[in-house]
Amino acid sequence: AALDGETKRRVRAFCGNRPAFYYNQTMHDAPVWHFKTMDFRYRLLVHFYSFVYFTDPMVGNYYKRFVRDSLRYHDEVFCAAGKIILALQYEDYLRNGGKRSS
């Protein structure tokens, strides 16, 4: 279905300087989607809904709840992340002699 003027305006506002990509049959049939993330402007260290916009708020809310309730990192991932953070903090401590870095 074609988008009305108000919906197009909201899509442009959401995307900002990023190009809009619309869900289509090719995306539907793909087993995996890859997002461009090598450029600092496109880092995926944010919530998925910073990259995905649903023009129907009811559909958007459904998928946001689905992701919130269904997708979780395994405990091993959190443990590994904690060890990495601790190692980085220790390296900072050694480099700065215990002084707080900015």
Side-chain angles (χ1 to χ4, degrees):
L3 300 177
D4 61 39
E6 174 59 20
T7 302
K8 288 179 183 178
R9 186 197 64 73
R10 287 186 289 133
V11 169
R12 281 193 304 272
F14 176 83
C15 290
N17 294 329
R18 300 174 294 180
F21 293 93
Y22 294 95
Y23 187 80
N24 57 27
Q25 191 64 45
T26 302
M27 292 175 77
H28 180 78
D29 293 340
V32 176
W33 292 351
H34 293 275
F35 294 91
K36 178 180 176 180
T37 60
M38 295 303 291
D39 188 319
F40 285 119
R41 295 173 297 161
Y42 302 110
R43 298 289 302 269
L44 279 182
L45 297 175
V46 296
H47 295 285
F48 80 96
Y49 44 80
S50 297
F51 282 84
V52 180
Y53 179 75
F54 295 92
T55 55
D56 182 337
M58 288 183 65
V59 173
N61 289 338
Y62 172 84
Y63 283 104
K64 287 173 189 174
R65 284 191 299 271
F66 174 79
V67 169
R68 178 199 67 203
D69 296 342
S70 303
L71 303 179
R72 301 270 191 251
Y73 287 113
H74 293 281
D75 287 342
E76 293 84 2
V77 172
F78 279 107
C79 289
K83 290 175 185 177
I84 291 168
I85 291 169
L86 185 61
L88 289 171
Q89 290 172 334
Y90 182 66
E91 182 177 335
D92 179 62
Y93 173 82
L94 293 177
R95 287 182 180 212
N96 294 302
K99 299 175 188 164
R100 296 207 30 107
S101 62
S102 53

